[in-house]
Amino acid sequence: MNRFAFIIHPISPEDIKKSLKPLAILPVPLLEAITKHFPPFKVSMIRGVRSPTGAETEGWFIGIPLTPRQFLSYPLDFVYKRLIQAGKLAEKLGAKIVGLGAFTSVVGDGGITLAKNINIGVTTGNSYTVVTAVEGAIEAAKLVGINPKEAVAAVVGAGGSIGFTSARLLAREVPKMNIIGRSVEKLEKVKETIEGETDCKVEIKRNVSEGLREADIVLTVTSAMEEIIFPEDLKRGAVVCDVARPRDVSKRVEEERRDVLVIEGGVVAVPGDVDFGFDFGFPPKTAYACMAETMILALEGYEGNFTLGKEVTLEQADTIAKLAKKHGFRLAGFRSFEKPVLPERIEEVRRLAGR
């Protein structure tokens, strides 16, 4: 059996306080000043992942007690040191591949330095994240009454590597797409590639608001450090899939545009009777796509690195999509601003959109 590990971290100081109750009374700056000295540690054992092929795997969550703010503000050398410690712990436990969760794949070079310093495979999980983001956006669009075959899509950040691959996948599903980014030269390449591969008609837009005005389905994947999509930018009844971290979509969209559905990509159902041994806020037997990618590769017995650095190729996306299907992974719902999307919310969007 090939085993895996997956590196996680607290999303907020409150998460640390829940886990380390004796420290809960401390002010956040003091709490972070203390926990930054804590080494990575084994959070839980993950058991019961079983493919329909009969393959099985198990693994571990490994925690680095740093919040997103700390990951983004501390020197890279310090962050790399913690990541390498976590990777070496995964190796010592017996994992053959280690996946990077949340900001551990956002900061620095996307696992390249980590891969150079440990003797097991590394993956950011971004290939399956891209695949499920596109699948999720299309599925969510259908649920709120949008027919993808008649829809206009928009990809914000299409000039970047992940945006490029996302746009190529999405272009297989829709007849028209606006691609939005800062570099016209890069967007010209995206347009030429997509129109050479599909029948999708592509328009280049430099302005986010202009590009989103007519879009029924939006996928946003920029590396912006601040919000760039606001309530006034979006078409009535649109679906927005925000893959970016930090988020591209303003929280005001959720509050002020109840006719618009914002999702974070798909929730993935894990095959088998899986027990994560740790509550990371998802329904039982479901996981983030990046976690799922690590499990899929372990089930497949994959050796070496898979998604590494800041790029995701179309070949990687198609490969992991094929392997996911082979091993029984599938979409199982949506999340929006860290919370599950309930059926009532879907119906609210349909009603307010007049569908």
Side-chain angles (χ1 to χ4, degrees):
M1 179 191 297
N2 266 13
R3 294 180 171 84
F4 66 94
F6 192 80
I7 302 174
I8 59 176
H9 65 83
I11 297 300
S12 69
E14 284 66 37
D15 288 341
I16 302 176
K17 291 181 178 182
K18 288 177 189 172
S19 300
L20 301 171
K21 288 187 170 55
L23 302 182
I25 59 172
L26 298 177
V28 169
L30 181 55
L31 178 71
E32 291 184 342
I34 292 172
T35 56
K36 72 175 283 189
H37 297 291
F38 290 4
F41 59 95
K42 183 174 74 174
V43 175
S44 69
M45 181 97 192
I46 303 165
R47 295 186 172 90
V49 183
R50 183 182 178 87
S51 164
T53 66
E56 296 182 56
T57 186
E58 59 186 24
W60 300 267
F61 279 130
I62 293 176
I64 297 179
L66 300 177
T67 62
R69 189 200 69 77
Q70 290 173 293
F71 272 108
L72 294 175
S73 62
Y74 287 174
L76 270 180
D77 285 349
F78 175 83
V79 174
Y80 286 150
K81 180 181 176 183
R82 285 287 181 266
L83 282 172
I84 292 167
Q85 287 176 328
K88 287 187 178 298
L89 176 56
E91 189 177 335
K92 184 178 177 182
L93 288 168
K96 297 297 183 187
I97 189 164
V98 60
L100 302 178
F103 279 74
T104 65
S105 67
V106 172
V107 294
D109 54 15
I112 292 174
T113 296
L114 173 62
K116 289 177 179 174
N117 284 276
I118 60 177
N119 298 309
I120 58 176
V122 177
T123 189
T124 61
N126 284 340
S127 295
Y128 198 42
T129 295
V130 168
V131 168
T132 56
V134 174
E135 287 182 356
I138 294 296
E139 181 63 25
K142 291 177 179 175
L143 289 173
V144 301
I146 297 169
N147 179 359
K149 298 303 178 190
E150 299 174 353
V152 177
V155 176
V156 188
S161 171
I162 292 177
F164 186 14
T165 300
S166 300
R168 292 173 75 184
L169 290 173
L170 190 55
R172 297 170 176 173
E173 309 292 337
V174 297
K176 183 179 177 185
M177 179 185 295
N178 293 335
I179 54 173
I180 305 157
R182 288 177 295 185
S183 168
V184 172
E185 184 179 350
K186 290 182 178 178
L187 294 178
E188 289 284 3
K189 179 185 174 188
V190 177
K191 174 181 167 72
E192 181 181 344
T193 302
I194 289 175
E195 292 189 337
E197 292 176 339
T198 70
D199 294 329
C200 182
K201 300 300 178 188
V202 178
E203 285 192 27
I204 293 173
K205 305 286 186 181
R206 292 289 307 280
N207 180 278
V208 173
S209 295
E210 182 187 354
L212 299 186
R213 196 170 298 150
E214 63 173 347
D216 305 290
I217 303 169
V218 177
L219 206 150
T220 184
V221 286
T222 79
S223 56
M225 297 306 292
E226 297 177 348
E227 299 164 345
I228 60 170
I229 296 176
F230 300 98
E232 55 273 21
D233 297 328
L234 296 163
K235 183 179 177 181
R236 183 185 181 199
V239 166
V240 184
C241 182
D242 189 352
V243 185
R245 290 294 178 274
R247 297 180 192 286
D248 284 342
V249 180
S250 167
K251 188 73 169 66
R252 287 203 296 117
V253 174
E254 172 77 358
E255 297 162 354
E256 299 175 21
R257 292 294 305 274
R258 300 298 293 174
D259 62 310
V260 168
L261 179 62
V262 180
I263 61 172
E264 299 165 349
V267 177
V268 177
V270 178
D273 191 19
V274 60
D275 178 2
F276 291 105
F278 174 72
D279 181 5
F280 49 91
F282 271 34
K285 302 179 184 180
T286 64
Y288 288 101
C290 51
M291 292 177 185
E293 178 169 314
T294 314
M295 296 177 213
I296 292 165
L297 294 169
L299 285 169
E300 184 64 17
Y302 188 90
E303 295 187 359
N305 306 313
F306 190 72
T307 317
L308 206 57
K310 298 298 184 181
E311 295 192 357
V312 172
T313 67
L314 189 64
E315 291 71 24
Q316 285 173 318
D318 283 339
T319 297
I320 202 69
K322 184 178 177 182
L323 292 177
K325 188 175 181 181
K326 172 183 174 181
H327 290 296
F329 290 75
R330 59 178 175 79
L331 281 180
F334 308 103
R335 292 179 67 83
S336 181
F337 296 98
E338 312 291 350
K339 296 179 182 176
V341 176
L342 301 176
E344 295 82 357
R345 177 71 183 111
I346 302 284
E347 283 305 310
E348 181 183 27
V349 174
R350 285 183 71 105
R351 177 172 53 79
L352 294 175
R355 299 189 182 106

